[in-house]
Amino acid sequence: MTPSRYDRLEAAKPMIECREVHKYYGDYHALRGIDLTIRAGEFFSLLGPSGCGKTTLLRTIAGFEDITSGVVLIDNKDMAGVAANHRPTNMVFQSYAIFPHLTVAENVGFGLRRDPRSRAEKAAAVEEALAMVGLKGYGARASHALSGGQRQRVALARALILKPKVLLLDEPLSALDRKMREQMQVELIKLQRQVGITFVLVTHDQEEALVMSDRIAVMFEGQIAQLDGPEALYARPASRRVADFIGVMNFLPTRIIGDTPNGVEVDLPGFGRVEIPAANISRANPDDEGPTVGFRPEAVSIVSTGAPTQSRVTEGTIDEVVYYGDMTYYDVRLDGSDGFGAKVRPIRIAMRNVFGREVQEVGARANVSWSPGSLVLFR
Amino acid sequence: MASGNRSQAVQGYSLIAPPFGYALLVLMAPLLTILAYSFFKDGYLTIIREFTLENYVAVWGDPIFHKIMLRSLGVAALVTLVTVGLAFPVAYFLSFAVSPQRKGMWLFLITIPFWTSYLVRVFLWKVILGYNGVINSGLKSLGIIEEPLTFILYNVNSIVITLAHAYAPFAILPIFIALEKIDRSLLEAGRDLGESRAMTFWRVTLPLAMPGVVAASLIVFIPTIGDYVTPTLIGGGKIPMIANMIQAQMLDLDNRPMGSALAVTAMLIVAILSLIFVALNRRFLKVRQ
């Protein structure tokens, strides 16, 4: 069997290493001890809400911000005192930062001034870079006449033509409309595989991070809360806060009965006694009132009565139906879930609308199928 | 929609109609009068209302006019160079080094000299630069010089110094605005693409500031050509500029047609030079105003 992309990246040499990186703006502690290794050829994302320090960390790597303490290594070289123009990184700015006084070709060729190649060779390199981002023949255009998507491509070509070791992308897709964004996501992945350069992406859009990244660092308040691959991050969030931030999750208050050899046994309203596997146990938020169990809306499903199923089934009543075209969201109140002190909210279940399956109505009875492996305990 | 646009346009026009009419009256009427006069004959103390090109022929053939016009252009060019050259660093400092909360205060400080009448400021410069002025008496009492410096009063240098000071805010403000409009991420992009601070300034900041520099140059150049007070007071009347010549024709010699022809000719020359200047900038620096 050929090694997977993930295995190959595991074996690759480290490209960016951050060790105990702290950054203060006056009294404000923007980065609080970042430890991080990004491997060569990796598509890495820094994900978090605004103000979490992800952009500061990116700008630190680019050399636009000095760090207060700690070490940043790029390709095994200490970057302390190395100015942005001497670092082997290039950046795609959030605003794209296309030079308005230059044409598309002049923008793309901006960094080639000291390149020893001849004028004709440089022009060919510019044309090649433009072709790579799908802007062949746009060289003579004035840059202010470009659309948002085109500006983005120019910014990409301008950075990639210099063949940096690391390409830094600061929320590059946030200014594009949804369709364009989804298209660019796929193009960026393809481009990254093609050029093999390490990409570091900053985004607040969890979907974007999940779609594009090999690994994702979720950041809150200047710290990395979890660093994992997309699947692990989604299925087994390390804390309730990460789970809250990434996608939709149902949270139910629970009572812990006790530890078992393989995990923890809990009493879950509407589900009864459940044994949560040890791998699915995460940290609760500090302000949570006791332990909670979380699960994704698509990790449970509504099955018709009498259908054979390997999973466990519990019953409830449909409280609300939200139809999305490809999906339907059902809010289901599970039988026996209200006997748990505080009133428990209905659980949200996502069902794909496949051919032949009718959309259920409010008030209908539902059999909810689930398995303990898809539940996560936050304690 | 089209009718909506039209009614909006009508509304807009009716809104600007009063000031527009006023401007027409006080700007166009004197200009047209001057233009008409320049084609009339001078009958000494009276004006003969007959069309003639004599005045223009006389103006263009007059060696004194050539000399004074060239001097005016030279002084204005020098003033522009000095003013814009000194204004750029000030505007740059204001835009890049001053914190956003302090910018208002700095702008206020820069415009303070404007609150004093220009005449007063010119007299002040006379006091500073004069034969027994601040500089000369200061240097003399310090024993640095024996005789007063003569190159700072009643000559082109003193006119340039005075005008450069007077027009400084006119030059600082447009350059400041052009610098303020530059997206700071463009400068980071310049660094990111491998250029040093100096090269980023040369390749990004300066070209993007050029519209402001061009505007500042025109704002200083055009009025200084026609400046009348400074040559009279600071130049001691010994180095007349074109406005002084027009004044002499109009009032001292009472030859209004000749004075008008001089004025129209000077206006034409300034207009053509300004257009050439803007066109050159557009062509070679790609400056879009």
Side-chain angles (χ1 to χ4, degrees):
Chain A
M1 204 176 94
T2 52
S4 74
R5 179 173 164 82
Y6 193 77
D7 292 336
R8 270 185 284 123
L9 286 173
E10 278 287 280
K13 63 173 179 150
M15 180 54 79
I16 300 173
E17 291 169 86
C18 296
R19 298 281 163 261
E20 269 300 302
V21 171
H22 286 269
K23 167 78 187 171
Y24 282 90
Y25 291 106
D27 287 340
Y28 180 64
H29 201 168
L31 296 178
R32 307 177 178 215
I34 301 289
D35 270 301
L36 172 69
T37 302
I38 299 172
R39 304 203 165 269
E42 196 168 15
F43 198 131
F44 193 92
S45 288
L46 297 168
L47 174 66
S50 60
C52 72
K54 56 189 191 300
T55 298
T56 305
L57 182 56
L58 193 80
R59 291 173 57 81
T60 292
I61 296 168
F64 295 131
E65 309 277 352
D66 295 326
I67 54 176
T68 312
S69 67
V71 181
V72 175
L73 302 172
I74 300 179
D75 202 17
N76 254 327
K77 264 192 229 114
D78 190 352
M79 285 294 125
V82 180
N85 48 331
H86 296 300
R87 296 197 180 193
T89 60
N90 282 114
M91 185 135 155
V92 174
F93 291 83
Q94 187 169 11
S95 60
Y96 310 141
I98 302 298
F99 300 118
H101 57 300
L102 302 178
T103 64
V104 168
E106 286 167 336
N107 262 285
V108 174
F110 189 91
L112 296 179
R113 185 177 63 86
R114 276 180 301 190
D115 192 309
R117 283 181 287 178
S118 75
R119 205 175 251 270
E121 284 172 315
K122 285 188 203 178
V126 167
E127 199 46 45
E128 193 190 322
L130 281 172
M132 186 170 65
V133 296
L135 286 181
K136 207 173 163 72
Y138 278 67
R141 296 240 186 144
S143 51
H144 57 85
L146 298 176
S147 72
Q150 290 168 336
R151 296 168 82 81
Q152 153 112 70
R153 288 157 197 265
V154 172
L156 268 170
R158 186 176 72 176
L160 288 173
I161 197 172
L162 302 175
K163 304 203 162 44
K165 287 178 177 158
V166 180
L167 185 74
L168 306 169
L169 302 113
D170 184 8
E171 307 237 8
L173 307 178
S174 60
L176 303 179
D177 64 59
R178 193 187 164 88
K179 241 199 170 104
M180 193 71 211
R181 197 160 62 223
E182 283 169 1
Q183 189 190 332
M184 279 311 290
Q185 285 174 359
V186 178
E187 282 190 35
L188 271 177
I189 299 170
K190 280 192 185 155
L191 197 61
Q192 198 263 343
R193 308 246 152 125
Q194 184 190 331
V195 296
I197 291 169
T198 310
F199 276 34
V200 182
L201 172 83
V202 156
T203 179
H204 63 269
D205 183 340
Q206 38 100 10
E207 193 182 293
E208 193 170 297
L210 292 176
V211 168
M212 298 206 277
S213 323
D214 293 312
R215 284 191 308 155
I216 301 166
V218 181
M219 289 181 68
F220 296 119
E221 275 120 34
Q223 284 174 313
I224 293 176
Q226 185 173 2
L227 201 168
D228 247 320
E231 293 116 333
L233 203 62
Y234 189 78
R236 288 182 303 280
S239 70
R240 165 123 185 228
R241 192 152 184 213
V242 173
D244 263 332
F245 190 73
I246 294 182
V248 181
M249 199 172 223
N250 291 296
F251 292 106
L252 294 172
T254 188
R255 193 180 295 132
I256 290 173
I257 296 169
D259 290 345
T260 62
N262 298 322
V264 176
E265 191 174 31
V266 298
D267 182 13
L268 193 60
F271 290 82
R273 286 185 164 218
V274 188
E275 187 188 43
I276 311 263
N280 291 8
I281 294 171
S282 298
R283 284 195 314 279
N285 283 351
D287 51 349
D288 282 350
E289 295 169 11
T292 45
V293 163
F295 55 92
R296 301 286 182 190
E298 66 280 358
V300 288
S301 54
I302 295 176
V303 291
S304 46
T305 30
T309 171
Q310 309 250 304
S311 318
R312 292 168 65 173
V313 174
T314 183
E315 285 185 39
T317 310
I318 296 177
D319 218 44
E320 190 65 76
V321 179
V322 185
Y323 180 73
Y324 271 92
D326 58 338
M327 303 281 288
T328 306
Y329 284 127
Y330 296 99
D331 289 346
V332 176
R333 194 171 291 283
L334 295 178
D335 296 347
S337 66
D338 43 359
F340 204 84
K343 217 162 189 237
V344 176
R345 281 191 305 174
I347 61 167
R348 173 150 282 197
I349 300 172
M351 296 291 289
R352 185 151 285 284
N353 291 327
V354 294
F355 178 74
R357 183 192 289 155
E358 278 180 37
V359 174
Q360 307 281 311
E361 286 184 25
V362 174
R365 297 286 295 163
N367 293 319
V368 176
S369 147
W370 57 281
S371 73
S374 57
L375 307 183
V376 180
L377 172 66
F378 301 97
R379 65 186 295 193
Chain B
M1 271 326 279
S3 70
N5 279 342
R6 198 175 306 141
S7 80
Q8 248 180 14
V10 168
Q11 234 175 21
Y13 285 134
S14 59
L15 206 65
I16 61 160
F20 185 67
Y22 184 70
L24 213 61
L25 198 72
V26 299
L27 251 163
M28 291 301 283
L31 270 176
L32 288 175
T33 314
I34 295 278
L35 194 65
Y37 265 63
S38 70
F39 292 108
F40 289 155
K41 270 187 192 156
D42 180 50
Y44 191 66
L45 296 182
T46 58
I47 283 152
I48 303 160
R49 290 169 198 276
E50 274 175 41
F51 179 82
T52 175
L53 289 172
E54 267 173 33
N55 301 315
Y56 285 100
V57 175
V59 165
W60 283 103
D62 182 2
I64 298 176
F65 168 73
H66 292 169
K67 184 156 195 260
I68 292 186
M69 192 69 222
L70 277 178
R71 175 193 289 148
S72 296
L73 291 172
V75 168
L78 199 59
V79 169
T80 306
L81 206 69
V82 171
T83 313
V84 173
L86 292 176
F88 196 95
V90 176
Y92 189 87
F93 167 80
L94 204 58
S95 181
F96 285 89
V98 174
S99 71
Q101 307 97 290
R102 294 264 171 89
K103 278 181 185 167
M105 190 194 70
W106 276 89
L107 284 173
F108 173 73
L109 290 177
I110 283 168
T111 47
I112 272 189
F114 267 95
W115 300 6
T116 334
S117 129
Y118 180 57
L119 217 55
V120 173
R121 277 180 285 154
V122 171
F123 269 114
L124 280 174
W125 274 109
K126 217 175 159 172
V127 170
I128 293 168
L129 300 172
Y131 198 73
N132 290 315
V134 177
I135 292 181
N136 277 327
S137 55
L139 290 176
K140 241 172 26 183
S141 67
L142 288 171
I144 295 170
I145 53 168
E146 304 254 314
E147 289 296 307
L149 301 171
T150 48
F151 67 88
I152 53 173
L153 195 62
Y154 303 133
N155 60 20
V156 170
N157 294 339
S158 50
I159 294 180
V160 171
I161 291 173
T162 309
L163 285 174
H165 170 252
Y167 283 94
F170 286 121
I172 293 170
L173 291 177
I175 299 171
F176 168 71
I177 287 164
L179 289 171
E180 281 288 282
K181 278 202 294 194
I182 298 175
D183 181 355
R184 297 305 191 253
S185 67
L186 293 175
L187 309 182
E188 287 187 342
R191 302 296 312 280
D192 190 66
L193 294 167
E195 293 295 13
S196 63
R197 259 174 220 288
M199 277 311 288
T200 301
F201 174 82
W202 179 248
R203 296 186 68 191
V204 183
T205 315
L206 196 58
L208 290 174
M210 275 319 280
V213 173
V214 169
S217 305
L218 289 175
I219 288 173
V220 175
F221 182 73
I222 292 170
T224 43
I225 282 191
D227 192 68
Y228 165 75
V229 180
T230 322
T232 310
L233 293 174
I234 296 280
K238 280 183 278 180
I239 29 172
M241 289 182 29
I242 189 68
N244 307 91
M245 192 181 178
I246 295 169
Q247 186 263 347
Q249 285 291 341
M250 287 276 202
L251 302 175
D252 300 347
L253 303 177
D254 207 19
N255 189 345
R256 297 209 176 156
M258 185 58 97
S260 301
L262 272 175
V264 172
T265 310
M267 272 194 284
L268 270 177
I269 291 171
V270 172
I272 289 167
L273 283 178
S274 302
L275 287 177
I276 291 174
F277 180 67
V278 170
L280 284 179
N281 273 298
R282 224 172 252 191
R283 176 76 183 76
F284 291 107
L285 295 172
K286 293 177 199 155
V287 173
R288 271 179 294 270
Q289 293 288 21

